[in-house]
Amino acid sequence: MNTRLKRQIWAASGMIVIGFALTAAAVDPGLPTGYWDNPQATQGKAPHDWSALETDLRPEACAQCHSEQFNAWKNSLHAHAYSPGMIGQFPGMGVDEGNSCLVCHAPLKEQRYSDTDDMNRSLSLKLSHPEGYDRHADIDSKALPLRHTGVSCAVCHVRGWQRFGPPPKSSAAIGHQNTPAHGGFTATRAFEQSQFCASCHQFPASMAINGKPLQNTITEWKESVFSKRGVTCQKCHMPDRKHEFRGIHDPAMVRKGLTFELSQNKNSAVFSMASTWIGHAFPTYVTPNVVVSASAMDAGGKVLRNWQWEIIREVVYDDGWKEVRDTRLMPGEQREFIAGPLPEKTTIVRFSVTVIPDHFYKGTYKSLLDGGLTEIPMAHIRHALERAEKNDYLLYEKELVIHRSE
Ligand code: HEC
Ligand code: HEC
Ligand code: HEC
Ligand code: HEC
Ligand code: HEC
């Protein structure tokens, strides 16, 4: 059966059933126990009366009926979590360590490596197929291993072949819903809670370095006004349930989170940055760096003096992780960057903010390349470094005209 025909049949059956489909259960079932277990259980045997399309876990398959979610997800970093920068490190680490990384980057049992050969085959295949799925949602194209799809639909929504999702927008019903495809689905409010993101975006408190784990996003959120106001991760990162997951790699998202102001205070120029719509530290991870610069210039455009600050949680590995400094902006915090005293002939002060989302990884990739790698991992790490370098961007730039009072 071709794809278009399948779509038409499903569309038609959907219309017939929709009238009596949605029935509510009184108690929210929550996520089944073990939903985020490591390792995951396999899906088991597929229900015998399901179509090939319903038992296909690839995002291209889901896309046949859920194109809106697919079209947003495919541009997100979740879709690219089986990344060259990660897998290029695997041959040096071994298959068990590799599988321990997949726990967040491609966690389903069906996505794990069975052995070293399996891993090496996957690394070769990834060189000729940089994307893990068919961007045009063509399910008739040749299937790549499911791990190449990274954090894909099934990772968040499918266990034991059953679909789990939030309560339908139209009815807010919870519990099992009878709908025309894949045996219906189970609706639970767990999908609307920040805790849903925790298994991959929060380390346990026991792994703290200077009081804070390397990944501490949920805790930062819990301590912020956003948790008190019920503004969850989903409200900012999945607005109207859109599967965008935009973060520090997206200049528009970062600008939305910050408020900037320039002013002169006697003989200095003041740049203020406030974290007004970020539900955690800015940035939340130890991997980005944000550089604030100021230059005092004379009327001819000559630079008289420069200033520079960094917004970063810097860590180093030296027989265990150590924190060097933490200058990040906490939710609601406002910070002033003061360029002063200004040299006498200053007429203009230019402020700029540059974001280096993959600062830490760039260093890792460079030292891996220096350390000597075999051909295939080398190709992946080179690709990762190129990509990481392209991710840097200018977030903000503005000039302040200095007024001199005689
Ligand atoms: C043949 C069409 C079809 C395919 C293929 C399909 N679905 Fe669905 N799915 C539906 C229909 C119809 C519903 C009912 C509600 C709706 O329209 O969203 C549904 C509901 C859902 C829901 C619940 C939505 C909510 O409101 O909480 C989730 C989650 C879901 N599907 C995930 C998936 C995933 C993941 C895949 C791929 C592994 C997939 N589906 C494949 C047709 C399909
Ligand atoms: C607890 C979940 C988790 C585990 C386990 C994990 N990662 Fe990640 N990883 C993340 C998240 C979240 C990001 C994105 C945020 C960031 O940049 O730190 C990320 C980003 C990355 C990136 C940069 C983006 C990319 O994909 O190129 C690399 C490289 C990476 N991880 C490698 C690894 C390696 C290697 C391991 C195993 C040693 C590993 N990760 C284990 C959650 C995890
Ligand atoms: C990182 C986890 C994650 C991934 C990956 C993911 N989803 Fe979702 N999905 C969610 C969450 C969380 C919600 C509920 C968001 C909310 O309520 O604000 C959701 C909601 C949905 C809904 C209900 C939408 C609505 O408007 O009611 C559907 C259908 C769905 N997802 C399908 C998919 C499909 C198809 C894919 C792959 C293309 C996918 N999801 C990938 C976490 C995920
Ligand atoms: C009030 C809105 C808001 C809330 C709530 C929020 N975020 Fe963010 N998040 C942002 C903005 C804006 C950015 C971009 C700036 C930045 O990187 O901090 C961002 C960035 C990120 C990043 C990029 C990596 C980095 O180092 O900053 C990740 C990962 C992330 N958020 C995860 C989460 C998770 C998980 C939650 C829930 C615990 C959450 N966010 C809650 C607004 C929000
Ligand atoms: C199965 C693990 C997993 C779950 C669950 C998960 N994420 Fe992620 N997320 C990742 C990984 C891994 C990355 C990094 C992908 C990469 O670049 O390789 C990531 C990246 C992101 C980014 C982009 C960060 C950036 O650097 O710009 C945002 C935003 C984000 N996740 C938000 C969320 C939110 C919100 C939820 C909950 C609704 C969620 N994630 C659930 C694993 C997960």
Side-chain angles (χ1 to χ4, degrees), residues 66-216:
H66 301 288
S67 59
E68 199 185 318
Q69 286 78 19
F70 176 81
N71 286 329
W73 167 85
K74 74 179 178 191
N75 297 319
S76 77
L77 284 172
H78 283 153
H80 300 98
Y82 191 72
S83 66
M86 177 182 66
I87 65 173
Q89 301 185 44
F90 287 173
M93 292 165 38
V95 67
D96 291 340
E97 275 272 316
N99 273 331
S100 80
C101 307
L102 297 189
V103 164
C104 297
H105 286 258
L108 295 179
K109 188 77 172 253
E110 291 77 7
Q111 295 181 301
R112 289 167 78 86
Y113 300 122
S114 50
D115 52 36
T116 308
D117 286 346
D118 189 19
M119 180 176 90
N120 289 337
R121 268 196 308 274
S122 174
L123 258 73
S124 300
L125 195 58
K126 175 85 176 165
L127 276 183
S128 50
H129 296 81
E131 265 171 5
Y133 53 89
D134 197 300
R135 186 160 280 270
H136 309 292
D138 180 1
I139 53 158
D140 297 328
S141 65
K142 195 167 173 291
L144 290 163
L146 192 64
R147 71 178 67 93
H148 289 222
T149 64
V151 182
S152 62
C153 321
V155 167
C156 290
H157 288 293
V158 186
R159 296 294 182 274
W161 295 109
Q162 303 303 306
R163 266 62 167 177
F164 295 85
K169 267 185 190 158
S170 49
S171 71
I174 49 175
H176 189 78
Q177 312 295 308
N178 295 311
T179 56
H182 47 63
F185 69 95
T186 301
T188 164
R189 297 205 169 280
F191 277 81
E192 296 174 329
Q193 293 156 8
S194 289
Q195 195 58 29
F196 185 84
C197 317
S199 73
C200 305
H201 287 284
Q202 175 72 43
F203 283 155
S206 60
M207 290 169 71
I209 297 136
N210 194 20
K212 303 155 288 189
L214 280 186
Q215 290 192 10
N216 203 28

Side-chain angles (χ1 to χ4, degrees), residues 317-377:
Y317 194 85
D318 174 20
D319 199 19
W321 287 103
K322 294 199 171 65
E323 183 176 287
V324 180
R325 56 185 166 147
D326 184 356
T327 61
R328 296 172 304 163
L329 238 63
M330 291 300 145
E333 183 180 344
Q334 174 175 15
R335 190 172 304 163
E336 288 184 343
F337 300 89
I338 301 170
L342 296 171
E344 210 177 304
K345 291 194 174 125
T346 306
T347 57
I348 274 176
V349 180
R350 178 187 295 156
F351 281 94
S352 67
V353 182
T354 303
V355 179
I356 307 163
D358 300 319
H359 170 75
F360 178 87
Y361 295 114
K362 284 205 273 186
T364 307
Y365 302 150
K366 280 179 190 151
S367 60
L368 282 167
L369 290 172
D370 287 345
L373 291 167
T374 52
E375 196 186 325
I376 290 175

Side-chain angles (χ1 to χ4, degrees), residues 10 34 36 57-58 93 109 161 165 177 185 192 204 211 221 246 259 273 294 300 303 306 317 340 384 391 396:
W10 280 111
W36 292 116
L57 292 179
R58 286 180 296 156
M93 292 165 38
K109 188 77 172 253
W161 295 109
Q177 312 295 308
F185 69 95
E192 296 174 329
W221 173 80
R246 295 190 294 145
T259 306
M273 185 192 282
V303 175
N306 288 314
Y317 194 85
N391 286 338
Y396 172 94

Side-chain angles (χ1 to χ4, degrees), residues 226 231-239 244 246 253 277 279:
F226 296 100
V231 182
T232 58
C233 318
Q234 288 87 332
K235 291 237 166 79
C236 297
H237 290 286
M238 306 181 73
E244 291 174 342
R246 295 190 294 145
M253 179 76 179
W277 189 75

